[in-house]
Amino acid sequence: MSTSPRPPSGPLLLSSTVSTQWLADHLGAEGLEIVAASASTDRATTARRIPASLDTGATVIVYDSTEGSCAERFAAILRDSGFSNVATLRGGRARWVSEERPADLDSLSHLVDAHTRIA
């Protein structure tokens, strides 16, 4: 008996990346989770890496404040862990800030450490 993948509970993704405009248009949507990936290895960050409330059916957008490698790494970890609706934010936090988007992206997101494994 095979099981079908869980349908997304948030906005549908058509690509493995999304634009800042896509994210701005979908802020506040049910089932949308925003995750800030960090290369930090401090204990506090590691302890918060995956919120228990992060649902595998959610639409998860991962960003970082660097060139995107942390976001890409963590998005791959999520996909390997059963999250099927995951994308990275093109340009990350730097582009979001440079475009003077109205919302503070960091206050809307979960903070994770991209160098840790999901248990």
Side-chain angles (χ1 to χ4, degrees):
M1 178 187 290
S2 66
T3 59
S4 57
R6 186 172 177 185
S9 63
L12 182 64
L13 295 173
L14 301 177
S15 172
S16 62
T17 64
V18 297
S19 67
T20 53
Q21 186 60 55
W22 185 97
L23 183 55
D25 291 345
H26 291 88
L27 282 179
E30 186 174 336
L32 177 66
E33 298 283 353
I34 303 169
V35 177
S38 168
S40 172
T41 56
D42 72 345
R43 188 175 295 270
T45 300
T46 301
R48 295 175 47 204
R49 69 185 181 274
I50 295 289
S53 62
L54 196 58
D55 180 12
T56 57
T59 297
V60 182
I61 307 303
V62 185
Y63 74 95
D64 63 29
S65 59
T66 62
E67 75 285 347
S69 61
C70 291
E72 291 169 7
R73 186 179 312 114
F74 198 74
I77 290 170
L78 288 174
R79 287 184 198 101
D80 289 346
S81 300
F83 290 80
S84 60
N85 208 25
V86 178
T88 57
L89 180 63
R90 285 191 300 272
R93 184 181 185 284
R95 181 173 292 166
W96 184 269
V97 170
S98 75
E99 292 175 358
E100 299 179 358
R101 297 288 176 178
D104 176 10
L105 196 56
D106 291 339
S107 70
L108 301 172
S109 65
H110 302 284
L111 179 63
V112 297
D113 186 340
H115 291 302
T116 59
R117 293 184 177 200
I118 299 173

